[in-house]
Amino acid sequence: MAKDRTQGEDYIGPLKRLLLAVLLLCLLGIFLLWRIDSPRVERFRAQVVDAVVPSFDWTMTPVTATVGLFRDFQSYQRMREQNAELRRELQQMKAWKEAALQLEQENARLLDLNNVRLDPRLTYVTGVVLADSGSPFRQSVLLNIGERDGIVDGWAAMDGIGLVGRISGVGKSTSRVILLSDSSSRIPALIQPSGQTALIVGDNTVAPYIDFLENPDKVRPGDRVVSSGDGGVFPSGLLIGQVATDPGGRLRVRLAADYERLEFLRVLRDHGQDRPDTPGGIVRPSTLLPDETDLIGPMPEEAQDG
């Protein structure tokens, strides 16, 4: 058995060398045939290609499929990169959209401020609301304008529609606005079209009540409420809101100013108003109407001494 294996190996070696030599000769012959520049040889080459190449289409199928798969993979990779880039651009677009909406809202509020018709004698300073210190006991906001902007205690503050409150406390670069809803706020008002005068009294709610009304029967819900200008506290004709009634039947004012979105306030320069010495006493609760003090007259000397 060992002898037969040795003889088999002796035949295989020369046979491999013979096949390799034949293959090399064939390749050399093909190379020389392809290099010969002759019309007859060219026709022979064309015949060989026409006869051989179509029969080898099946050998090109894996290569073609591999190339197509590689190209598809490259295309998929490019699409993935483009998709990631589009996602980043979409996030940026969302941020820009949010910024644009905020700017649009601010622009609309500023336009509202510019479109409000005021007395030509009145000028104004527009300030940004920095903080809201509203609480169950005090209703006020802080503005980014103060003494350096010429702000004076007692001046009226408005948003784009209606009266918001008055300046009460001025710093160098900030000032505080006491809102109409604050419990210390008392605003002389005129109710249209009946012409009734009253006081708008804050009670820390979004709808201050109407007090000291001479003839309530002439007042209807929906009537317009504006500042009367009595007492020199506010300029006359500033919109405050509309008359409404609460469940208990008490007359209140539905404020025209949007207290939920106080971002910009217009402080009216009322140069005709005397500068107060005691800002806290600009408007204080009283049981007397502005004109009733003249009717009472001076107090007797005995009462003054007592």
Side-chain angles (χ1 to χ4, degrees):
M1 296 297 293
K3 185 176 180 180
D4 293 339
R5 186 180 298 109
T6 303
Q7 291 178 355
E9 291 178 355
D10 292 341
Y11 287 113
I12 293 174
L15 184 59
K16 288 182 178 180
R17 289 193 291 272
L18 178 61
L19 291 176
L20 181 59
V22 172
L23 180 61
L24 291 176
L25 289 174
C26 292
L27 293 176
L28 181 60
I30 294 173
F31 176 75
L32 294 176
L33 181 64
W34 239 255
R35 298 295 297 176
I36 295 175
D37 189 10
S38 172
R40 186 174 298 177
V41 176
E42 181 65 29
R43 286 195 298 270
F44 176 72
R45 285 200 297 263
Q47 292 176 359
V48 172
V49 170
D50 292 339
V52 174
V53 171
S55 62
F56 281 91
D57 286 342
W58 61 272
T59 59
M60 297 300 296
T61 302
V63 177
T64 304
T66 303
V67 172
L69 182 63
F70 180 72
R71 290 178 178 175
D72 291 341
F73 178 76
Q74 288 181 333
S75 177
Y76 171 76
Q77 188 176 8
R78 287 194 298 269
M79 290 177 62
R80 187 172 179 273
E81 293 175 354
Q82 291 176 356
N83 190 19
E85 185 177 358
L86 289 174
R87 287 179 181 273
R88 289 193 297 268
E89 292 180 355
L90 181 60
Q91 292 296 330
Q92 294 177 355
M93 293 281 291
K94 288 181 178 180
W96 293 341
K97 179 182 178 181
E98 184 65 25
L101 290 176
Q102 293 178 0
L103 290 175
E104 183 180 2
Q105 293 174 356
E106 292 181 1
N107 189 30
R109 291 185 178 88
L110 289 174
L111 288 175
D112 288 339
L113 289 175
N114 291 329
N115 290 333
V116 175
R117 294 184 178 180
L118 300 173
D119 190 331
R121 295 173 297 178
L122 295 176
T123 58
Y124 58 88
V125 181
T126 301
V128 178
V129 176
L130 298 178
D132 182 359
S133 60
S135 69
F137 307 102
R138 189 172 180 85
Q139 301 287 325
S140 65
V141 295
L142 194 66
L143 299 181
N144 67 339
I145 51 179
E147 289 183 356
R148 66 182 183 183
D149 304 291
I151 303 301
V152 176
D153 275 311
W155 281 357
M158 301 181 64
D159 70 347
I161 302 176
L163 186 64
V164 172
R166 58 181 172 85
I167 299 294
S168 179
V170 181
K172 185 176 181 180
S173 58
T174 59
S175 58
R176 185 171 300 280
V177 177
I178 297 296
L179 304 181
L180 299 184
S181 57
D182 188 82
S183 59
S184 64
S185 176
R186 303 290 189 276
I187 305 300
L190 181 67
I191 301 177
Q192 298 173 343
S194 62
Q196 295 290 308
T197 57
L199 281 181
I200 307 303
V201 181
D203 58 351
N204 289 336
T205 64
V206 294
Y209 63 87
I210 300 175
D211 203 357
F212 297 105
L213 189 60
E214 182 178 358
N215 193 346
D217 296 334
K218 294 183 179 181
V219 178
R220 297 288 183 270
D223 287 352
R224 195 166 181 262
V225 182
V226 298
S227 60
S228 64
D230 293 337
V233 179
F234 288 122
S236 60
L238 302 181
L239 178 63
I240 297 176
Q242 292 181 337
V243 177
T245 56
D246 60 13
R250 191 169 191 176
L251 293 177
R252 291 183 176 269
V253 177
R254 184 182 298 110
L255 298 175
D258 187 2
Y259 276 38
E260 298 295 330
R261 297 181 179 180
L262 293 180
E263 297 182 8
F264 302 96
L265 291 184
R266 169 189 288 176
V267 180
L268 304 182
R269 295 191 185 100
D270 188 4
H271 297 290
Q273 174 181 318
D274 296 334
R275 183 163 183 163
D277 297 328
T278 55
I282 294 174
V283 184
R284 59 174 179 264
S286 174
T287 57
L288 298 178
L289 291 176
D291 295 335
E292 290 180 353
T293 55
D294 297 332
L295 300 178
I296 295 176
M299 297 179 62
E301 294 182 0
E302 294 80 0
Q304 292 179 0
D305 296 338

